[in-house]
Every structure is written in structure tokens, then in C-alpha cells.
């Protein structure tokens, strides 16, 4: 007699477990259906990001742009290269003037093309800037900091 009671109890417990799973699946199905009903699947895509200097479209942070860790802006490679070229050309002219006039001239330093903050080359300063960008929930700030560790850039130990 006891074996039959145990089997009946096991079947009842199994049925209760199956009913709980079915209820959870039905709840998830309803939630997904409501999310799909409220979302506009055929809405136009968000506008492409533009370089804040020249207003040309930027495909994405991995393709044709430079992330500025001082202000969190993403600028195109063209604007970043032009800024470097202008500073280097100006410094060459200033060195020539210094030789000609034998007077000390002040050299231009490399600054951010957007906010004019001096660029940094030290890993400590770059990590501080990345932390500041992460404090304001800048997703590219998180990516920038993660890339240092992912690639082992700037002398950091690469992730295994």
C-alpha cells in the first residue's frame, strides 16, 4: 500500500513543478508580447553620429573616429589628423623663428581638437580621465578604459 501512496505523491509533486514552469513560461510570453506591442519595430533608425567639428557622419567608434578622453567627444580621424598637423607645422615655424631671431619662443602643445584641454601621454592621467568619464556614465569612457586592459596598451597587463 505504501508504494502506491509514494507514487501518487511523486506524481502530484511532479505535476506541481510542471504547472509552475508552465505558469512562468506563460508569464514571460505575455511580457514579451506586450514589449513587442509597445515597441515600434519599423521606426526609423537613430540618426548617425556626426563629428562635432566638421559634421561629417561617423560610422562608429571602431572605424573612423578618435575618442577624446578629456571631454568624451568622438571626432573623425580627419579632424584629429588636421589638428596634429597644424600644431606640428606651427611648431616648425616657431623653431625656425627662434633660430633666426635667437629669441626663445613658446611652442604649441597638442590639445584636444574640441575642448582644447592638453592631451596626455601618461597612463595614470589617461586612467583618471577614463574614470571621470565613467562617473558620468559615458559608455565610450568604459570602452576606452577596457581597451587599455584588453590590448595591454600603454604598458598595462593585457587580459588573458
Amino acid at each position: 500500500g505504501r508504494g502506491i501512496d509514494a507514487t501518487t505523491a511523486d506524481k502530484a509533486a511532479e505535476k506541481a513543478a510542471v504547472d509552475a514552469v508552465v505558469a512562468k513560461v506563460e508569464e514571460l510570453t505575455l511580457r514579451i508580447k506586450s514589449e513587442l506591442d509597445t515597441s515600434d519595430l519599423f521606426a526609423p533608425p537613430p540618426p548617425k553620429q556626426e563629428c562635432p567639428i566638421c559634421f561629417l557622419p561617423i560610422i562608429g567608434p571602431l572605424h573612423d573616429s578618435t575618442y577624446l578622453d578629456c571631454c568624451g567627444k568622438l571626432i573623425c580621424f580627419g579632424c584629429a589628423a588636421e589638428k596634429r598637423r597644424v600644431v606640428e607645422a606651427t611648431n616648425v615655424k616657431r623653431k625656425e623663428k627662434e633660430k633666426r631671431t635667437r629669441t626663445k619662443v613658446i611652442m604649441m602643445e597638442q590639445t584636444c581638437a574640441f575642448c582644447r584641454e592638453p592631451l596626455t601621454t601618461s597612463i595614470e592621467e589617461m586612467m583618471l580621465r577614463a574614470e571621470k568619464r565613467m562617473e558620468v556614465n559615458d559608455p565610450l569612457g568604459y570602452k576606452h578604459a577596457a581597451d587599455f586592459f584588453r590590448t595591454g596598451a600603454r604598458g598595462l597587463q593585457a587580459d588573458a
Side-chain angles (χ1 to χ4, degrees):
R2 228 176 219 293
I4 295 173
D5 291 337
T7 304
T8 305
D10 289 343
K11 286 182 182 180
E14 185 178 323
K15 183 177 181 332
V18 168
D19 289 344
V21 169
V22 168
K24 186 69 172 172
V25 168
E26 288 174 352
E27 175 189 333
L28 289 173
T29 303
L30 288 174
R31 191 171 77 203
I32 290 170
K33 282 183 181 178
S34 71
E35 287 175 7
L36 287 175
D37 290 342
T38 59
S39 69
D40 190 1
L41 294 176
F42 299 102
K48 289 186 179 177
Q49 192 168 9
E50 294 178 338
C51 174
I53 296 172
C54 67
F55 301 107
L56 290 175
I58 293 176
I59 294 172
L62 302 176
H63 299 286
D64 58 353
S65 58
T66 299
Y67 177 72
L68 304 171
D69 59 4
C70 47
C71 57
K73 298 292 182 190
L74 200 60
I75 64 170
C76 69
F77 280 149
C79 288
E82 181 63 13
K83 174 68 170 120
R84 278 191 303 276
R85 188 198 66 76
V86 166
V87 169
E88 289 168 4
T90 302
N91 283 339
V92 166
K93 289 178 184 175
R94 288 181 178 184
K95 283 181 185 178
E96 290 171 358
K97 181 180 178 182
E98 185 176 67
K99 286 179 185 176
R100 251 191 352 263
T101 62
R102 296 177 191 232
T103 58
K104 186 72 175 161
V105 295
I106 299 172
M107 296 298 178
M108 272 183 88
E109 67 179 335
Q110 291 286 354
T111 59
C112 172
F114 190 78
C115 71
R116 306 290 184 227
E117 182 76 22
L119 298 181
T120 182
T121 55
S122 77
I123 187 62
E124 294 83 14
E125 181 67 24
M126 287 181 185
M127 290 306 293
L128 283 173
R129 287 182 176 186
E131 287 174 12
K132 287 181 184 176
R133 298 305 313 160
M134 289 187 289
E135 286 173 4
V136 295
N137 290 324
D138 179 2
L140 291 176
Y142 283 100
K143 182 196 172 308
H144 190 61
D147 283 344
F148 287 143
F149 291 102
R150 181 180 56 82
T151 62
R154 310 285 185 191
L156 293 173
Q157 184 176 349
D159 288 340

